[in-house]
Amino acid sequence: MTILANILVVFFIAAGLVFIVVSAIGLLRLPDLYTRAHAASKSSTLGVMCILLGVFLHFWLIRDHFNPTILLGILFLFITSPVGGHIMSRSSYIAGVKPWSGTVRDDLKPEIERMKKEQKIK
Amino acid sequence: MKINNVILQFTAKIVFFMIFFYAVHIFFAGHYTPGGGFVGGLVTASAIVLLIIAFDLKTVQSILPINYIYLIASGLLLALGTAGIAMFTGKPFFTHFFDYFNLPILGKTSLHTAALFDLGVYLVVVGVTMTIIQTIGEDE
């Protein structure tokens, strides 16, 4: 049983590590802010959640200590991290950060212009 | 420019309760595990700051109509009272008492007067943090 539990723990922590390394490479390689926000908010969230799940399983199956705080942390990250990415990328769009030159479609631009016209801001 | 903030406000409404109850957990767990009045107070203040960021300062003040100056004063009074109550029984200043009680749901629990002192620290930390942030935030 201990070997199976160890395999599970090692799998989750290694998968989380791979996801975090991938998100760091994405932060370095991607061309503009929005694609970087996509990499940072999606893949690093999954990586940290996998590592926390591995830690939870380690303490539960091997040390025999059920720690619900880690489950609460997983839930909290799952709720808040995409909202943080959304808020940062939208505020940078409103502040005037241009998307990458290869962008083919921009649905937010006419909406922002309509809101500015309604509130009479040039 | 006034924008639509539905996602942030809805998330803040849910996350506020998660942070607040986690702060209560940290506060009560402080006697046997890491935590206590200071960290619990700071986490509670950060939950209220999250509401202030998502909504407005005036809205949050009408939701939580607390004068934080009185919160600081009551926390200091509570800490001084728990420290000074031992002097009436002839013990030295800051002597704490504890005993075991049979509570209805929780069973046999040890209640300690150090928890009341910690509650005073908690109230002072929440009051000081919120006073600093509100007085900076509402300055026009």
Side-chain angles (χ1 to χ4, degrees):
Chain A
M1 270 313 285
T2 315
I3 296 175
L4 280 177
N6 268 327
I7 288 173
L8 208 61
V9 168
V10 167
F11 169 74
F12 274 115
I13 291 184
L17 198 66
V18 168
F19 275 115
I20 287 179
V21 170
V22 163
S23 73
I25 294 172
L27 276 187
L28 290 176
R29 300 261 317 168
L30 287 172
D32 70 334
L33 191 144
Y34 305 103
T35 48
R36 278 181 201 148
H38 171 239
S41 65
K42 215 179 205 173
S43 125
S44 69
T45 308
L46 188 60
V48 175
M49 280 164 65
C50 277
I51 287 180
L52 282 178
L53 196 62
V55 172
F56 171 74
L57 287 176
H58 172 78
F59 276 100
W60 188 31
L61 298 175
I62 294 170
R63 301 284 181 85
D64 214 14
H65 173 244
F66 186 82
N67 195 350
T69 313
I70 301 180
L71 291 180
L72 192 72
I74 293 175
L75 183 68
F76 187 82
L77 270 177
F78 187 65
I79 294 176
T80 54
S81 176
V83 176
H86 161 79
I87 293 297
M88 277 189 283
S89 43
R90 197 182 59 168
S91 57
S92 52
Y93 191 94
I94 291 172
V97 179
K98 290 277 177 285
W100 179 44
S101 56
T103 311
V104 286
R105 187 166 172 167
D106 193 352
D107 278 339
L108 193 55
K109 197 175 180 183
E111 185 66 20
I112 297 278
E113 276 171 2
R114 187 184 65 80
M115 282 168 69
K116 277 187 181 173
K117 199 179 290 174
E118 269 182 9
Q119 298 169 20
K120 299 193 173 53
I121 308 166
K122 96 176 161 46
Chain B
M1 175 171 164
K2 200 164 159 22
I3 45 173
N4 201 353
N5 251 342
V6 179
I7 296 177
L8 181 60
Q9 289 178 351
F10 186 76
T11 314
K13 278 181 211 161
I14 296 172
V15 165
F16 171 76
F17 289 103
M18 288 173 69
I19 301 175
F20 181 71
F21 287 119
Y22 187 60
V24 173
H25 164 74
I26 285 179
F27 171 72
F28 280 115
H31 200 75
Y32 293 111
T33 51
F38 185 76
V39 191
L42 276 184
V43 174
T44 309
S46 72
I48 303 174
V49 168
L50 176 71
L51 278 188
I52 292 179
I53 289 172
F55 295 93
D56 204 358
L57 191 58
K58 286 209 171 73
T59 319
V60 176
Q61 276 172 347
S62 65
I63 294 169
L64 301 167
I66 304 167
N67 192 344
Y68 291 104
I69 305 283
Y70 291 154
L71 209 63
I72 300 173
S74 58
L76 285 175
L77 267 181
L78 197 60
L80 189 65
T82 44
I85 196 108
M87 293 171 77
F88 292 105
T89 60
K91 300 261 173 43
F93 188 59
F94 255 117
T95 308
H96 284 299
F97 305 100
F98 76 99
D99 204 351
Y100 292 97
F101 295 94
N102 272 317
L103 296 180
I105 300 167
L106 299 170
K108 187 183 173 191
T109 318
S110 72
L111 297 181
H112 204 292
T113 50
L116 285 177
F117 184 77
D118 231 18
L119 184 65
V121 174
Y122 176 89
L123 293 178
V124 170
V125 170
V126 172
V128 168
T129 316
M130 292 315 296
T131 310
I132 291 171
I133 289 171
Q134 282 194 351
T135 46
I136 292 173
E138 67 192 350
D139 204 355
E140 291 289 324

